[in-house]
Amino acid sequence: MENHPAGTLTVDQVAENLSAFAIDRADIKSLLGAIPQGHPIDLTRLEYELAILKILSVGWGLAFFIPATDTNKTPLTQTFWEQIRQIANSVSTLTETTTGTRIDYFGILKERLDTFVQQMQKHQAQKVNPTNVMGPVFANACGTPDDPVVILAGTKMFALTLGSVKEYLAAVKIKDITIH
């Protein structure tokens, strides 16, 4: 993610940086490269699910790491998700153009988010570390609920993404929004 320590970024610039990070594939490729040779997981499906998890994890990081009292929280979150919606619409259109089948990629993101949130709420009373919940839920989304390699891949994606978002938000100064 771009960092401008000498300057202050607008909400739109921060949202753009975060959405670009959310769809960047470098760390996904790295996680895929760590899968043991001969492992029976469908790597295409794993990559697809890691991409979804990364996008959702960036959104989760915004919700979690920006204080509720920060006036930039709502506009930044809304702008980020609007940019993700635009990207998802492009993915949906491209998929329809190349395969002839229409998918609603943003709808898929929302469904997956609902699943993750339900599982987090289910384990909230036990005060379980969220990374311990996300790995198994991720593996289930991949169709391999008991696969430790897939659980670890999901756990790592979630934890690494949250760490990056936290670090970025701590380093960037967001220009305060002026309300007239």
Side-chain angles (χ1 to χ4, degrees), residues 6 24 37 40 45-46 69 76 99 103 127 129 148-149 152 171 174:
D24 182 77
Q37 280 225 331
R45 184 169 183 179
L46 181 62
T69 57
L76 177 56
T99 67
I103 65 156
K127 300 195 189 272
N129 183 331
V149 172
L152 181 59
I174 302 174

Side-chain angles (χ1 to χ4, degrees), residues 21 24-32 50 54 157 160-161 164:
F21 170 68
D24 182 77
R25 296 279 212 232
D27 48 358
I28 294 171
K29 297 294 184 191
S30 176
L31 285 172
L32 290 172
L50 284 169
K54 184 174 181 186
M157 176 55 70
L160 292 172
T161 302
S164 294

Side-chain angles (χ1 to χ4, degrees), residues 85-97:
R85 179 187 296 277
Q86 290 172 7
I87 292 164
N89 286 340
S90 295
V91 169
S92 296
T93 300
L94 180 62
T95 301
E96 183 175 20
T97 302

Side-chain angles (χ1 to χ4, degrees), residues 58-123:
V58 172
W60 204 299
L62 288 172
F64 189 73
F65 295 123
I66 299 176
T69 57
D70 189 324
T71 57
N72 291 314
K73 182 174 186 161
T74 298
L76 177 56
T77 302
Q78 288 174 341
T79 304
F80 168 77
W81 283 113
E82 183 52 41
Q83 289 178 3
I84 294 299
R85 179 187 296 277
Q86 290 172 7
I87 292 164
N89 286 340
S90 295
V91 169
S92 296
T93 300
L94 180 62
T95 301
E96 183 175 20
T97 302
T98 57
T99 67
T101 303
R102 176 79 179 146
I103 65 156
D104 178 6
Y105 192 65
F106 194 74
I108 292 168
L109 289 170
K110 285 174 31 178
E111 287 173 18
R112 206 66 94 246
L113 179 61
D114 289 344
T115 300
F116 287 132
V117 167
Q118 287 171 358
Q119 290 302 310
M120 293 293 274
Q121 289 172 340
K122 184 177 172 181
H123 292 90

